[in-house]
Amino acid sequence: MADCDLCGRGIPTVNPVRVFRPLLKFAYPEGVWTGLCENCLESADKTRVKVEKEELAGTPGKCKLCGTKTDLYPVELHIPNFSKGVMTEDAMLCKKCLDAAGETYVKFKKEQYAGHGHH
């Protein structure tokens, strides 16, 4: 089992997203991997598309995935809660992390479409 790095949901596998954490840039210049569940990945990609269409303005703050202090954009999370069912909450992510999640999302969808790439 693995936990999604955004919503915390425990699932069999997560989708790897490469993020660049400023505090780790010398130790890991190629970035570090975080794992997102399918729902968070899809939400991040929806936010990325809105940002590219300039439908969303950034809010200054610290990115939940990489820790960079920059303009952030809300990604809607659906967090399982035993007493209340599913709770909706926004995680604030920077453009770089949104782009990385978008790349992973496109790969994930292609693999799903291609029958998980067993050719």
Side-chain angles (χ1 to χ4, degrees):
M1 292 292 279
D3 290 345
C4 174
D5 286 322
L6 276 183
C7 72
R9 195 168 90 196
I11 51 176
T13 57
V14 289
N15 298 285
V17 176
R18 186 191 311 240
V19 299
F20 295 89
R21 293 194 171 128
L23 294 174
L24 301 174
K25 71 180 171 197
F26 297 110
Y28 300 100
E30 299 294 312
V32 294
W33 293 101
T34 63
L36 301 186
C37 70
E38 185 179 346
N39 291 344
C40 287
L41 201 58
E42 191 172 342
S43 289
D45 193 57
K46 284 180 184 168
T47 300
R48 179 189 63 82
V49 170
K50 286 180 186 169
V51 170
E52 283 180 0
K53 290 180 180 173
E54 297 179 4
E55 292 173 12
L56 276 180
T59 307
K62 191 172 174 186
C63 178
K64 179 155 182 177
L65 277 184
C66 72
T68 300
K69 287 182 180 170
T70 183
D71 279 351
L72 306 176
Y73 305 91
V75 172
E76 188 176 281
L77 306 181
H78 301 278
I79 301 168
N81 180 306
F82 293 113
S83 59
K84 297 176 184 147
V86 174
M87 310 244 321
T88 302
E89 176 180 306
D90 285 344
M92 302 302 284
L93 302 187
C94 70
K95 181 82 172 85
K96 278 185 182 177
C97 287
L98 288 175
D99 289 345
E103 274 179 41
T104 300
Y105 183 69
V106 168
K107 282 182 199 165
F108 171 73
K109 282 300 180 192
K110 279 183 185 168
E111 284 173 14
Q112 258 190 341
Y113 183 75
H116 303 292
H118 298 293
H119 297 279

